[in-house]
Structures are given as structure tokens and as C-alpha cells.
């Protein structure tokens, strides 16, 4: 069949423990922009066990349709049954675009699905738009319209590339969490709900989950924080992070860190910002004792205000900071906390 | 037991990247290393060799120069090295790369295939899962611990807020995280032997069950529309102040921006 028969923007609505992940709403938000340009609608694909009740929430964030694949085999994420579910939905409904979150689930599911249905997959996209391919006309080559142009960082964030998938459908992308904006929530919105079950027959590819071990963490997800007080190797020790925590507490913020801090065992991995950690865009990002390696900057440069404190005036973090202070963090941070306490008490 | 490890020679992006005047990457001017996640995968395989006498074969796809990482792997203790290189394989995206590696691996006996989670040049994390799909075997991505038990592997599979302990029957493909282990160093004897050792070189003709339409640039569904050096937001103000002035400066900025 022709590529033009593939219609609609589909997003994988990731859920974990029957709770929809934030990335699902972000994908719907972006999907609506793309669907508007293509004059089509957005379908969320919800896969799990006993998940049908979550469809309304997807509708509230803007999904026009929800396809539900509900089966006991789909309780916890496993590559094979989820691949079978999503690949079957694609083969049955033929979307032109399929978006998946670039999470620890989506970065496993996306490649396996794209390999099964033979299409291209662009990883970890930070920008998606509809446009022409080639972008500028080339004599002797047909310029295709209404293509999904997928932009992503590569080489550790040193370059950006825009990728198209002109001759295969759907055009598939995984999208970095925290980059796209959710659409506003409309309570009471309804979507057309379609139940679909391709049948699940366990074979050698179905692995067995022996145990699910959840990280013990009562901290706020750093991707949701409005103010982040982030520390790097320059903080010096795990104990010194207390200083950052005090500052965060005064401002109602959250502590995060660079990769060096995780590698040193001072802070847990779920607080790491950067290429191999999380992408954050808070209102204020304090970079304290962080040199600003390109892999770190890639995860925080979209923050509204970046305030850097570092004793090395050549640190690359100053190249992206709105306000850079060359100085001793051990003196500045505690004094700043005290000063802010006084300011806020006076209000 | 037989283990195949897929490794890649990558530019060392930690040292920054260098560009040609036309904006393309100047690979010749950059140092190359064995991709860190792949090295952890190789170390995991070598531990299976230490424990169970597993035979470890390393395979890489790339330019003839990529032979260097095979020799490095053999100096660490791998038994055999296979270089897959051919002009018709150039310009491959992850679909075409995974087709190529799967086509090469079909020549080999294996219980376990280990790849790195992702390479630091492309960062896609796609080739491992795609190879497993082409070969019709299970995949366990993001492995932070690997154990063998009879004809099965038991793997701790990392997620964002948890890990699963997963059991799969071999043959199986695992993608390794750099955090998995601390890779060993090459030994002087190993280096000597590795530089004497014979490397097997395969081209297009050696790939099994792969159609030409799935190889190289022509067989790649994704195409580059545009590539550029990243444009970064410019630097703002930078001031050197004593602690008291610094505090006043920050508080003033937070007020101006209505944060407090």
C-alpha cells in the first residue's frame, strides 16, 4: 500500500504501575501541534493490564482517540509482549507518525518495534516539526512535503542533526522527557476508546520477571522542580551537599547534581542532570561547583535562569550562565541561605 | 558456552569534537576509544570466561582502522576478533547496522550476545535491541548485573525508578551499562599476543540472509536532512565578588526576576 494511506499521529502512552508517565502527556502535547499541521488527530496507545480506566486522563490532556491493549501478560513492562502489542496496533491502524518516550522503557520498545515493522527510528529527539525533505529543493530530486523532521543532539551534545524518514511509515521517533510541553488539561474531555487485543502467546522471547525492586526514594522528581540547586565535584563531599539542601529548602527547591557526583557515590543516580541523566528546565538552576561539561549542559541549558558559582573563572559553565559568580562556594552558599531566610521572613 | 560481544570504535567526545571547514566531523583529528558501554559488556563476557571458560568473540563493524579495538579487546582477553568492513556498508543507520551485524552473527554459534547500551557518538541505544529482533531472540536492555544459571541468564534490568530481576533462556541478547563493572586493563602479554593474533575480516559476501536493500546508506530508512554545530545560548554576566557582595548580587537578581 502507498505511504499516503498511513494517517494520524500516534503516541505511546507509557504507564508504570497503572500510573501514566508524564512523558505520555508531553507526547500528546507535541502530537497535537503536528496533527494540526497535518490536518489529522492524535491517538494515544495505552498498553498494560487493567488500564482501560486511564483513558479519560489521556483525553483530558488532548488525546482524540485512545487504543487500549489490555492483557494480563502486559502487567509489568517486558520487551516482547509490549513489542507485539505496539507493532500489532501499527500494522492494524497504520499511523503516519509514531512517537515514543525516550525513557528506559521506550528506548527498548522503540528499536524493537521499528525493527519488527521495518521503519526508521530517530532516537532522543528534542524537536519535531512538519516540513519538506530535502529541506531546500535539490535539482533532479523530488522534494517531499508534510514530512516529520526530527531533530536530536549527537556526539555528546556537540552537534545537532535533523533526520527524516521519507520512504517508510510510520515515521518513528523517541522523544526526550522534559523537553516537550504538555497541552493544558481539560477536565471531563472524552476520547473515542477502541479496545484491541492481538492475542499473546508466550514463547522463548517472553522473559520471566523474578522480582521488581523499587528504588527507595521520597525525593521530588527533579524534572518537576521549579528551582534546582545543583552541585558538582567542586562541592567536595557528600556532607557538603547539606549546604545545598539548606539553600534548596529556603527557596522551596530541590537538590540535583552532575555525573561526577553520582560516580563519586555522593548522590543517587535519579538526581543526576545531563546527557546520561535527566533533562531539566526549571525556572532557576543553581550550578554550584559544576564545571559545565558539555554532557551536563545538554541536560540543563533550557533552564529559564542559570546562576553559576565556581572558583575557576575559566569553567565552561560560565558560557551558559545568565549570572556567573567567580568565588568560593563554601562561603557564598551558606551566606546566601541566611540572607534569603532574612529576606523571606521580612515579607 | 559461547559469547559474542559487539563493540564499536568511537571518537572520544570527552575531549571535545573537531570539525572540518565544511561542518562535517573531522574524525581523523580526534582520538578514538572503545565505546565505554561496550567495554563494560566485554568485561562481563570476560568474567564469564573466567568463571565458566566461555569462549569470547568480539565483532565490530567499521572502517579497516576499527581493527584497533578488536586488538585491544583481545589484549584484555577476548579469544577471537571479527572485523566487518565493506564500502557498501558505509552510511548505515541503526536499521542497516543491525541488519549487517545480525547477518555476520548468523555465521557464529552463540549462547549470549552482549552489546553496549549505546555508543557515545550516536547515543541511540537502538542497535542491540534491533539485532535481537532480526535474530528472533529475547533482549534484556540496560543490564546492571548478569549471572548465568544453567541454560538461562538472570539479569538486573535497570529502569528509571526501579530494577527488574529478569530470567531468560539462552540464546539471548543483553545490552550492558557502563556501570555494570570496572573493565580490566590489557596485560603486557595480552598486548603482545593480540598484535600477533589473526583478525578475521568479513565483507558483504559473508553476511547471511541479508538483502542488499537493507545495507549501507541506500538501505537506511532514516536520512539526514541537516546537521550543524550546536548553537548555544550566549554567556550572560560574569562577576568576581567577595562573598558578601556575591550574596547581595544573587539576591538582587532573584528579586528582579521575581523569584522571591
Amino acid at each position: 500500500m502507498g505511504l499516503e494511506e498511513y494517517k494520524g499521529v500516534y503516541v505511546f502512552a507509557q504507564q508504570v504501575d497503572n500510573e501514566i508517565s508524564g512523558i505520555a502527556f508531553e507526547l500528546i502535547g507535541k502530537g497535537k501541534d503536528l496533527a494540526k499541521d497535518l490536518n489529522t488527530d492524535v491517538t494515544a496507545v495505552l498498553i498494560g493490564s487493567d488500564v482501560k480506566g486511564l483513558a479519560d486522563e489521556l483525553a483530558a490532556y488532548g488525546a482524540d482517540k485512545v487504543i487500549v491493549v489490555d492483557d494480563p501478560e502486559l502487567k509489568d513492562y517486558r520487551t516482547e509482549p509490549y513489542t507485539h502489542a505496539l507493532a500489532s496496533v501499527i500494522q492494524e491502524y497504520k499511523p503516519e507518525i509514531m512517537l515514543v518516550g525516550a525513557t528506559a522503557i521506550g528506548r527498548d520498545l522503540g528499536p524493537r518495534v521499528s525493527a519488527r515493522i521495518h521503519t526508521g527510528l530517530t532516537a532522543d529527539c528534542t524537536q519535531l516539526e512538519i516540513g519538506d525533505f530535502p529541506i531546500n529543493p535539490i535539482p533532479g530530486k523530488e522534494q517531499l512535503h508534510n514530512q516529520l523532521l526530527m531533530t536530536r543532539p549527537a556526539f555528546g551534545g556537540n552537534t545537532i542533526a535533523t533526520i527524516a524518514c521519507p520512504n517508510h511509515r510510520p515515521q518513528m521517533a523517541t522523544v526526550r522527557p522534559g523537553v516537550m510541553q504538555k497541552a493544558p488539561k481539560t477536565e471531563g474531555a472524552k476520547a473515542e476508546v477502541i479496545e484491541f487485543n492481538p492475542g499473546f502467546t508466550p514463547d522463548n522471547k517472553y522473559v520471566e520477571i523474578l522480582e521488581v525492586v523499587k528504588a527507595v526514594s521520597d525525593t521530588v522528581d527533579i524534572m518537576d522542580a521549579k528551582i534546582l540547586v545543583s552541585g558538582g565535584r567542586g562541592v567536595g563531599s557528600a556532607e557538603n551537599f547539606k549546604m545545598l539542601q539548606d539553600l534548596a529548602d529556603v527557596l522551596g527547591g530541590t537538590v540535583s547534581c552532575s555525573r561526577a557526583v553520582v560516580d563519586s557515590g555522593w548522590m543517587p543516580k535519579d538526581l543526576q542532570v545531563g546527557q546520561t541523566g535527566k533533562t531539566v528546565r526549571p525556572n532557576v538552576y543553581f550550578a554550584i561547583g559544576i564545571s559545565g561539561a558539555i554532557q551536563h549542559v545538554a541536560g540543563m541549558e533550557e533552564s529559564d535562569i542559570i546562576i553559576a558559582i565556581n572558583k575557576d573563572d575559566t569553567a565552561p559553565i560560565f558560557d551558559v550562565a545568565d549570572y556567573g559568580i567567580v568565588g568560593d562556594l563554601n562561603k557564598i552558599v551558606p551566606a546566601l541561605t541566611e540572607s534569603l531566610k532574612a529576606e523571606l521572613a521580612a515579607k | 558456552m559461547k559469547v559474542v560481544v559487539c563493540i564499536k570504535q568511537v571518537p572520544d567526545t570527552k575531549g571535545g569534537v573537531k570539525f572540518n571547514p565544511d561542518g562535517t566531523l573531522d574524525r581523523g583529528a580526534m582520538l578514538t576509544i572503545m565505546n565505554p558501554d561496550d567495554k563494560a559488556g566485554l568485561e562481563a563476557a570476560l568474567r564469564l570466561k573466567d568463571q565458566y571458560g566461555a569462549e569470547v568473540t568480539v565483532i565490530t563493524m567499521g572502517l579497516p582502522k576499527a581493527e584497533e579495538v578488536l586488538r585491544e579487546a583481545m589484549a584484555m582477553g577476548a579469544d577471537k576478533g571479527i572485523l566487518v568492513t565493506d564500502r557498501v556498508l558505509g552510511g548505515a543507520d541503526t536499521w542497516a547496522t543491525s541488519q549487517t551485524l545480525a547477518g555476520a552473527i548468523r555465521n557464529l554459534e552463540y549462547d549470549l550476545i552482549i552489546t553496549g547500551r549505546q555508543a557515545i557518538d550516536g547515543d541511540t541505544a537502538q542497535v542491540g535491541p534491533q539485532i535481537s529482533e532480526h535474530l528472533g531472540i529475547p533482549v534484556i536492555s540496560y543490564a546492571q548485573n548478569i549471572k548465568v544459571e544453567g541454560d538461562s541468564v538472570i539479569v538486573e534490568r535497570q529502569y528509571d525508578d526501579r530494577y527488574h530481576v529478569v530470567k531468560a533462556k539462552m540464546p539471548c541478547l543483553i545490552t550492558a551499562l557502563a556501570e555494570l563493572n570496572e573493565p580490566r586493563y590489557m596485560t603486557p602479554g595480552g598486548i603482545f599476543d593480540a598484535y600477533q593474533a589473526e583478525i578475521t575480516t568479513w565483507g558483504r559476501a559473508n553476511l547471511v540472509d541479508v538483502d542488499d536493500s537493507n545495507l549501507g546508506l541506500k538501505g537506511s530508512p532514516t536520512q539526514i536532512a541537516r546537521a550543524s554545530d550546536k548553537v548555544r545560548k550566549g554567556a550572560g554576566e560574569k562577576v568576581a565578588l567577595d562573598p558578601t557582595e556575591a550574596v547581595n548580587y544573587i539576591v538582587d537578581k532573584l528579586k528582579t526576576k521575581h523569584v522571591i
Side-chain angles (χ1 to χ4, degrees), chain B residues 14-94:
Chain B
K14 269 195 191 136
V17 297
K18 296 184 176 63
F19 295 94
N20 293 312
D22 65 356
T24 59
L25 206 68
D26 185 0
R27 284 180 185 260
M30 293 162 67
L31 293 173
T32 58
I33 52 170
M34 189 190 307
N35 181 53
D37 284 351
D38 302 352
K39 204 170 189 176
L42 172 61
E43 174 63 30
L46 294 175
R47 289 182 190 185
L48 295 175
K49 179 178 176 176
D50 297 342
Q51 269 183 294
Y52 306 104
E55 182 189 83
V56 178
T57 301
V58 284
I59 185 164
T60 192
M61 168 184 169
L63 299 171
K65 174 179 155 54
E67 182 186 312
E68 294 163 5
V69 282
L70 295 174
R71 294 204 187 272
E72 182 184 350
M74 291 169 83
M76 287 169 67
D79 299 296
K80 289 182 189 164
I82 299 168
L83 171 67
V84 183
T85 188
D86 200 316
R87 293 178 76 103
V88 299
L89 305 176
D93 72 354
T94 64

Side-chain angles (χ1 to χ4, degrees), chain A:
Chain A
M1 69 185 257
L3 298 184
E4 68 284 351
E5 290 171 55
Y6 287 78
K7 295 278 180 220
V9 177
Y10 280 43
V11 307
F12 170 61
Q14 178 181 312
Q15 57 78 28
V16 178
D17 294 340
N18 291 26
E19 192 181 315
I20 296 172
S21 307
I23 181 68
F25 305 129
E26 294 167 18
L27 294 181
I28 294 171
K30 187 70 217 178
K32 285 178 81 72
D33 295 344
L34 301 174
K36 201 174 151 206
D37 288 348
L38 293 168
N39 198 18
T40 181
D41 53 17
V42 176
T43 303
V45 183
L46 178 58
I47 298 173
S49 175
D50 208 12
V51 290
K52 198 184 163 192
L54 303 173
D56 282 351
E57 208 179 331
L58 296 167
Y61 279 96
D64 300 300
K65 291 182 199 148
V66 180
I67 295 174
V68 184
V69 187
D70 205 311
D71 195 281
E73 288 288 350
L74 301 166
K75 187 177 169 292
D76 289 302
Y77 175 75
R78 286 180 298 162
T79 310
E80 181 56 29
Y82 271 67
T83 298
H84 179 55
L86 189 57
S88 300
V89 166
I90 291 169
Q91 280 154 353
E92 178 74 19
Y93 296 97
K94 302 189 168 39
E96 60 191 306
I97 291 173
M98 179 79 237
L99 306 179
V100 176
T103 61
I105 288 175
R107 296 177 96 234
D108 179 65
L109 178 64
R112 189 95 186 193
V113 168
S114 68
R116 186 158 300 181
I117 62 176
H118 189 177
T119 190
L121 173 65
T122 305
D124 292 9
C125 296
T126 51
Q127 201 185 320
L128 298 171
E129 61 196 322
I130 302 299
D132 297 334
F133 178 79
I135 293 173
N136 299 309
I138 296 171
K141 188 170 177 182
E142 188 192 356
Q143 190 181 34
L144 302 167
H145 307 298
N146 289 331
Q147 302 293 302
L148 180 64
L149 302 180
M150 303 167 270
T151 299
R152 67 181 306 264
F155 294 97
N158 288 287
T159 68
I160 54 169
T162 300
I163 312 280
C165 180
N167 302 319
H168 293 76
R169 290 291 178 273
Q171 303 159 92
M172 278 185 77
T174 63
V175 178
R176 200 133 167 126
V179 177
M180 305 299 174
Q181 305 280 7
K182 297 174 190 175
K185 190 173 181 182
T186 312
E187 294 291 351
K190 288 284 173 198
E192 181 190 344
V193 177
I194 301 157
E195 292 185 65
F196 176 76
N197 191 320
F200 294 87
T201 313
D203 61 16
N204 69 311
K205 288 178 279 189
Y206 281 61
V207 302
E208 185 187 350
I209 298 176
L210 303 178
E211 199 183 349
V212 174
V213 184
K214 296 181 190 179
V216 187
S217 171
D218 51 5
T219 52
V220 183
D221 188 341
I222 58 171
M223 288 173 63
D224 297 330
K226 298 278 179 239
I227 295 180
L228 280 175
V229 180
S230 204
R233 196 194 301 275
V235 174
S237 68
E239 294 70 43
N240 284 358
F241 265 85
K242 172 80 171 60
M243 211 159 53
L244 275 60
Q245 185 64 54
D246 291 343
L247 175 57
D249 288 347
V250 174
L251 290 166
T254 304
V255 169
S256 58
C257 66
S258 69
R259 178 170 185 162
V261 168
V262 175
D263 287 348
S264 305
W266 300 345
M267 284 281 158
K269 168 100 181 142
D270 59 342
L271 300 183
Q272 185 195 323
V273 172
Q275 187 89 15
T276 54
K278 293 177 175 174
T279 302
V280 297
R281 49 193 305 166
N283 299 345
V284 186
Y285 187 88
F286 286 92
I288 299 174
I290 293 177
S291 64
I294 199 150
Q295 289 84 354
H296 183 78
V297 170
M300 48 64 80
E301 64 188 327
E302 300 296 324
S303 306
D304 293 341
I305 304 170
I306 298 169
I307 301 174
I309 305 173
N310 204 300
K311 65 172 193 279
D312 173 11
D313 76 344
T314 64
I317 193 70
F318 291 124
D319 297 338
V320 294
D322 297 282
Y323 306 113
I325 297 100
V326 183
D328 181 355
L329 67 93
N330 291 299
K331 295 199 174 99
I332 295 171
V333 175
L336 178 60
T337 304
E338 290 312 312
S339 173
L340 287 169
K341 262 187 204 163
E343 286 284 340
L344 294 167
K347 281 206 168 176

Side-chain angles (χ1 to χ4, degrees), chain B residues 74-125:
Chain B
M74 291 169 83
M76 287 169 67
D79 299 296
K80 289 182 189 164
I82 299 168
L83 171 67
V84 183
T85 188
D86 200 316
R87 293 178 76 103
V88 299
L89 305 176
D93 72 354
T94 64
W95 165 271
T97 300
S98 60
Q99 284 280 352
T100 302
L101 286 168
I105 291 169
R106 286 193 188 100
N107 290 300
L108 304 170
E109 284 177 33
Y110 56 86
D111 300 291
L112 206 55
I113 301 170
I114 305 180
T115 71
R117 169 192 48 177
Q118 68 193 49
I120 58 171
D121 51 358
D123 284 319
T124 72

Side-chain angles (χ1 to χ4, degrees), chain B residues 201-241:
Chain B
T201 301
W202 285 346
R204 165 68 186 104
N206 302 95
L207 304 180
V208 177
D209 288 344
V210 186
D211 198 83
D212 280 336
S213 64
N214 288 320
L215 295 174
L217 185 63
K218 283 203 162 78
S220 296
T222 60
Q223 297 181 18
I224 295 175
R226 177 172 54 205
S228 58
D229 195 359
K230 177 142 177 135
V231 181
R232 299 195 174 275
K233 145 175 161 181
E237 306 174 16
K238 182 166 76 172
V239 293
L241 299 168

